[in-house]
Amino acid sequence: DDSVTISNECPWLEDSNDALIVAEKLGIPFQTVDLSAEYKERIVDYMFNEYEKGRTPNPDVLCNREIKFDVFMKIAMQLGADYVATGHYCRKTSIVNEE
């Protein structure tokens, strides 16, 4: 469904397919959830309202609070998820001091 894509620059379908391939390789379940309506209501509409008031909201911070750690997390818990992957990661390593 391309109706939620503002421009052709968002490769969400390719990203989803890549994630599915990785999940299959790891032998873990893969589930997608369409939160585009919630995103429009809680993020996009809010941003336009703030712009009209002369303020510049931070959509990334707002998305974390309103979507990722609220709506998305509640759905994941309802689905019985033990873990969720949001697409944001760091590579953690340990350095052993050999001195």
Side-chain angles (χ1 to χ4, degrees):
D1 178 13
D2 291 334
S3 66
V4 297
T5 303
I6 295 172
S7 71
N8 292 329
E9 297 176 15
C10 180
W12 70 268
L13 186 57
E14 293 86 358
D15 292 346
S16 180
N17 289 335
D18 290 345
L20 175 60
I21 291 167
V22 171
E24 287 176 348
K25 207 164 222 359
L26 294 173
I28 59 174
F30 178 78
Q31 175 81 39
T32 59
V33 179
D34 182 2
L35 299 176
S36 55
E38 292 86 349
Y39 185 83
K40 183 189 176 307
E41 178 186 327
R42 292 187 180 203
I43 310 304
V44 176
D45 292 349
Y46 174 80
M47 284 178 31
F48 281 111
N49 288 333
E50 289 297 296
Y51 289 143
E52 287 176 350
K53 296 173 185 171
R55 295 189 287 250
T56 309
N58 184 329
D60 294 331
V61 172
L62 193 58
C63 184
N64 284 340
R65 185 185 76 208
E66 295 293 322
I67 304 298
K68 188 187 300 181
F69 298 118
D70 184 31
V71 178
F72 175 68
M73 192 59 70
K74 286 176 183 172
I75 291 172
M77 300 305 283
Q78 290 171 354
L79 291 171
D82 295 318
Y83 303 95
V84 296
T86 63
H88 302 280
Y89 305 97
C90 72
R91 181 170 295 185
K92 182 178 176 184
T93 60
S94 298
I95 300 173
V96 178
N97 187 351
E98 296 183 19
E99 290 180 18

